[in-house]
Amino acid sequence: MVSLDERLEAVFQEVIRRNPAEAEFHQAVREVLESLGPVLAKRPELVECKVIERICEPERQVIFRVPWQDDTGEIQVNRGFRVQFNSALGPYKGGLRFHPSVYLGIIKFLGFEQIFKNALTGLPIGGGKGGSDFDPKGKSDNEIMRFCQSFMVELHRYVGEYQDVPAGDIGVGGREIGYLFGMYKRITNQYESGVITGKGLGWGGSRVRTEATGYGSVFFAAEMLKVLGQELEGKTCIVSGSGNVAIYTIQKLEQLGAKVIACSDSDGVVYDDAGIDLELLKQVKEVERTRVSAYAERKKGARYVPDGNIWEVPCQVAFPSATQNELNGKDAAALVKNGCIAVAEGANMPTTPDGIRAFLEARVAFGVGKAANAGGVATSGLEMQQNASRDYWTFEHTEARLQQIMRDIHRTVYETAEEYGAPGNYVLGANIAGFLRVADAMLAFGVV
Ligand code: NDP
Ligand code: 2IT
């Protein structure tokens, strides 16, 4: 563990004391605090104004009951969350995660990350996150609908175009956004498109939003490689996960001439030396909503290993795109040993602190999630722009905007790292640049 400046250590200890048993939240806070030492040296007024203490405390947290009836008629009870972390730069903005592992600590870590990520996009959006411990796996379409409707019956009180704008995350995609928006529209009797993003293209959605997180993380990786005098064309890559982010990471990599030889889900890993067949993967995951093992059963030459470790596959560029803490110090060491030169985090906090340290020490270009995966929320911001102007943009225009945003984030993060004496350290650059944008707005507002 990197030791903290004593003022930051005191802030961190207070965060632990006030938020007991929330390990992921502590981890996300610690990573940011570890970057802020050089900022305090330059900007002592930030200490006096207690802006770091304020940023670590969510503006509002809502926890609610979500009762629903399953297909057998039995009543189920889940827990819903919305953490409205910071609105200094705009309405709270961030996804909803439906996964059985969800508890307050997960939503708070995601909401905390979201503050700085959203600031890095340069768009006027604050940070928030929500979700439920509901497990969508094995549920019928009707059960998903009833759950989403019940969730929105409570959530609608706290969201709005100018207040808080949710979107998808793990377990929440286009289908769920449709059910959520439909219920919000019904309750409020208003067609308030800007209340949620990730909508369908026929009813207020933005082109490229589905692809945006994956495409964005590939654009970010391309920028990192450019600094190294390299390009993605011809590179061998691995992408963990096989959900929304993973699929569109694979698609953009293939378009740019890279080869993706492995992907995964929480049950196992698929290896395909010929390169993942995207159409088949989409059929298996998006249409049939089944497991990656089904891909290997149908694709000649592909192999499936239950409980396999994807990070043992030799590659030049890795894209952790499944979930938090999926890549540890040992995994990072294996990647480095096998010749990996760049990592772009499509997921939120997929690399453990040990893993990050191993990458930084080995001088691997390590694109931290709050920078590398910001393309999803950035395109949500573009969806909000289109909704506000009652307009739809073309795919080409929207993708060009996304690419420019990712380039700008890369430049900002890279230059900030240099300015603060850590050239090439994207973790430090992203944390400082994101933090300063939020902190400066908060200072302007007085004691808020
Ligand atoms: P999806 O639900 O579409 O896919 C999630 C993928 O990750 C699945 O392959 C899933 O496997 C795997 N996964 C989830 N939880 C676990 C776990 N506990 N252990 C192992 N594997 C797991 O979600 P997304 O693709 O949208 O999200 C992936 C990551 O990207 C998350 O960290 C999310 O926060 C982040 N992200 C998403 C954005 C978006 O726009 N969607 C934007 C920025 C970041 P299985 O099916 O077996 O559960
Ligand atoms: O983690 C994320 O940035 C997301 N899940 C997307 C959030 C959004 O509001 O589009």
Side-chain angles (χ1 to χ4, degrees), residues 50-327:
K50 300 220 166 150
V51 73
I52 303 174
E53 287 89 328
R54 284 192 268 155
I55 286 180
C56 290
E57 183 71 14
E59 289 177 19
R60 188 174 300 106
Q61 312 181 53
V62 189
I63 303 181
F64 50 94
R65 180 171 68 209
V66 190
W68 58 282
Q69 233 169 345
D70 68 21
D71 285 346
T72 69
E74 197 180 321
I75 293 169
Q76 305 285 344
V77 182
N78 284 100
R79 188 171 286 180
F81 302 88
R82 189 72 186 167
V83 173
Q84 299 180 328
F85 227 117
N86 193 296
S87 62
L89 300 181
Y92 310 106
K93 180 84 196 88
L96 297 170
R97 176 177 292 192
F98 293 169
H99 193 273
S101 62
V102 164
Y103 75 107
L104 187 59
I106 293 276
I107 300 300
K108 273 160 75 177
F109 115 65
L110 290 164
F112 187 74
E113 290 278 293
Q114 201 82 45
I115 304 171
F116 308 104
K117 180 196 310 195
N118 294 5
L120 286 172
T121 67
L123 299 170
I125 41 182
K129 201 86 186 188
S132 175
D133 57 2
F134 173 72
D135 185 358
K137 276 202 194 95
K139 301 292 188 297
S140 71
D141 198 53
N142 274 321
E143 289 174 324
I144 299 281
M145 180 181 74
R146 285 195 294 273
F147 176 80
C148 288
Q149 290 180 336
S150 178
F151 188 84
M152 187 51 88
V153 164
E154 186 61 29
L155 187 72
H156 89 277
R157 305 174 206 283
Y158 313 105
V159 296
E161 181 183 351
Y162 296 103
Q163 191 176 354
D164 184 354
V165 184
D169 192 82
I170 290 177
V172 178
R175 172 180 61 169
E176 292 74 19
I177 297 293
Y179 295 144
L180 291 163
F181 181 64
M183 197 60 180
Y184 182 84
K185 190 173 79 58
R186 187 171 178 208
I187 296 169
T188 60
N189 194 29
Q190 307 219 30
Y191 206 105
E192 187 188 336
S193 301
V195 69
I196 198 163
T197 60
K199 298 182 294 295
L201 296 185
W203 40 276
S206 172
R207 296 196 172 79
V208 194
R209 177 62 190 87
T210 303
E211 297 86 352
T213 310
Y215 280 21
S217 95
V218 176
F219 291 147
F220 195 87
E223 294 301 306
M224 293 196 298
L225 288 183
K226 220 185 275 173
V227 172
L228 303 175
Q230 305 249 12
E231 57 181 15
L232 278 166
E233 190 175 355
K235 294 280 184 298
T236 298
C237 304
I238 57 178
V239 179
S240 66
S242 49
N244 171 267
V245 178
I247 285 174
Y248 294 96
T249 298
I250 296 171
Q251 183 169 79
K252 185 50 76 179
L253 284 169
E254 291 184 352
Q255 286 173 10
L256 296 181
K259 186 154 119 181
V260 180
I261 56 166
C263 67
S264 62
D265 62 20
S266 58
D267 294 333
V269 180
V270 163
Y271 305 86
D272 191 345
D273 291 342
I276 298 287
D277 173 341
L278 193 71
E279 285 318 305
L280 178 58
L281 184 66
K282 287 177 76 167
Q283 172 67 25
V284 166
K285 297 300 299 189
E286 290 184 340
V287 181
E288 298 170 20
R289 294 179 184 274
T290 169
R291 318 298 302 153
V292 283
S293 54
Y295 174 98
E297 281 161 20
R298 288 188 229 167
K299 175 80 192 297
K300 226 176 128 207
R303 269 182 319 122
Y304 173 72
V305 177
D307 295 323
N309 183 353
I310 194 169
W311 311 120
E312 290 168 358
V313 181
C315 69
Q316 291 150 307
V317 191
F319 294 83
S321 306
T323 195
Q324 64 277 352
N325 293 326
E326 56 168 313
L327 194 170

Side-chain angles (χ1 to χ4, degrees), residues 18 30 39 44 207 219 225 295 308 333 340 364 388 396 411:
R18 290 163 75 94
R30 173 123 200 150
V39 177
R207 296 196 172 79
F219 291 147
L225 288 183
Y295 174 98
C340 178
V364 168
E396 292 69 27
R411 201 191 57 243

